[in-house]
Structures are given as C-alpha cells and as structure tokens.
Amino acid sequence: MSNHLVSPDVERDLVTKRYENTAGNPDDAQHLKNVLFGNEQPQGVILTSLDNVVNWMRKSSIWPMTFGLACCAIEMMAMGASRFDVARFGAEVFRPSPRQSDLMIIAGRVSQKMAPVIRQLWEQMPEPKWVISMGACATSGGVFNNYALVQGVNQVIPVDIYVPGCPPRPEQLIYAITLLQEKIQKEKGTIRKALNLS
C-alpha cells in the first residue's frame, strides 16, 4: 500500500517541472519556481526563543485566586461558568490559596480594613504574579468617596490591567484576561528573571 503513496518531495518536483515547461525561458522558469514555491524549508524544525516558550506556557495557564470583595465577584463567578467559559483561555483553575495562584482579581470595593489583608495575600503569591482591578470601586473608589474605602487598589498593590464598569460584564473580564495574556507573551528577559540573573 505504501508503494502507491507519493512523497511530498517527489510531488513538489513534478509540479515544479510542470510550471517550468509553461514558462519557456529558463530564467523565467527559475523566477516562477522561486515565486510559487520559495526556498525549501527544513521540515519538523521550530525556531523560537526560550523566553517565548516560557511566556507562552505562562499565559496559557493563568491560575486566578478565589477572592472576591463585593458585587463584582458575582460577575467574576459567572465568567467561570459554562455560559462564558473562561476555560477557553486557560484561566479556569481558581485556586483557594495565594501560594498556588499567579493572578489576583480585585473584584469589588477595598475598605481600609481589607487593604492590609490584600497586601499580605499579594505578598504570599509566588513570582511571577499579576493583578486585575475589576470595576469602578476597585479602580477609583467608585461612588464611595469616603474615609472608609481606599480610593483605588493601586495605592496598596501594583495593578496590571484595569476593567471599567459597575459592575463590569463577564465578557469585559475575559477581555482583560486576554490583554494580560498579550502582556505576558511580550515580556522580555523571562529566563534571566527566573534564574535571578537580572
């Protein structure tokens, strides 16, 4: 049965000869061959950098922490349900411990009493770690401009992505996760940071 199969190289040569016959002039035939088929590339070889591979693995397996503060947490829970299915983006594994998480989603308003707890949880997360500020309350205090609430979680921990809205829809949070994935993929010096060389 294998005798009837034609290898890709033989088939490519046959098609090339067919085009060379229609070209006439040998120079035109060579030019036509280069335009149509290009240079032969080695098969089964992938060229990339180690940083790109590590970044691709990191962005494809984001583990958010199970952590919600107010009404935005309901939308965050809906994002993980079957209707929106964040599993398509590799971020469905909500972890109960900060030591197993690499993404903190601040979903809701941050009170002055909660701010040190958020800081402690963020410090317990292993590197690399990222933060998404979800909703107007977490980003700027929202409608609560008083002494009891922190007017922006970026005063407590560094924030990577902001999601506007009150509350934002689950699609907005999924979009924020895709933006975070783009940021992770473009990161430079990943291996040097992992090996403490930078």
Side-chain angles (χ1 to χ4, degrees), residues 40-61:
E40 184 68 29
Q41 298 293 325
Q43 295 182 356
V45 176
I46 298 175
L47 300 175
T48 186
S49 69
L50 199 53
D51 277 353
N52 282 342
V53 172
V54 172
N55 290 341
W56 175 76
M57 289 188 291
R58 283 180 178 172
K59 81 165 192 167
S60 301
S61 61

Side-chain angles (χ1 to χ4, degrees), residues 27-149:
D27 294 333
D28 293 339
Q30 184 62 33
H31 178 69
L32 187 63
K33 179 181 174 183
N34 290 336
V35 168
L36 292 175
F37 301 102
N39 297 324
E40 184 68 29
Q41 298 293 325
Q43 295 182 356
V45 176
I46 298 175
L47 300 175
T48 186
S49 69
L50 199 53
D51 277 353
N52 282 342
V53 172
V54 172
N55 290 341
W56 175 76
M57 289 188 291
R58 283 180 178 172
K59 81 165 192 167
S60 301
S61 61
I62 296 175
W63 288 4
M65 187 166 59
T66 307
F67 179 72
L69 295 171
C71 43
C72 283
I74 304 298
E75 302 296 320
M76 182 178 68
M77 290 180 232
M79 176 196 67
S82 59
R83 180 176 179 187
F84 299 101
D85 191 23
V86 76
R88 297 172 292 161
F89 304 98
E92 79 279 9
V93 186
F94 279 84
R95 305 306 300 165
S97 168
R99 292 174 181 85
Q100 301 171 352
S101 309
D102 53 13
L103 171 63
M104 179 186 276
I105 302 173
I106 306 296
R109 56 192 175 269
V110 180
S111 66
Q112 296 288 354
K113 285 185 175 182
M114 196 64 186
V117 176
I118 290 173
R119 179 70 186 191
Q120 183 177 7
L121 289 172
W122 180 79
E123 287 174 352
Q124 290 176 351
M125 291 169 62
E127 290 286 347
K129 54 190 170 189
W130 302 279
V131 177
I132 292 178
S133 175
M134 180 182 179
C137 293
T139 300
S140 64
V143 297
F144 304 103
N145 188 9
N146 59 36
Y147 65 91
L149 295 181

Side-chain angles (χ1 to χ4, degrees), residues 183-198:
K183 180 178 180 178
I184 294 169
Q185 184 64 53
K186 292 176 183 175
E187 189 175 340
K188 302 293 183 190
T190 307
I191 297 300
R192 292 182 62 81
K193 289 177 189 172
L195 298 174
N196 288 329
L197 297 175
S198 60

Side-chain angles (χ1 to χ4, degrees), residues 11-25:
E11 187 175 341
R12 182 179 183 278
D13 289 339
L14 292 174
V15 175
T16 305
K17 287 178 183 175
R18 196 175 315 133
Y19 278 105
E20 285 176 351
N21 291 337
T22 59
N25 187 352

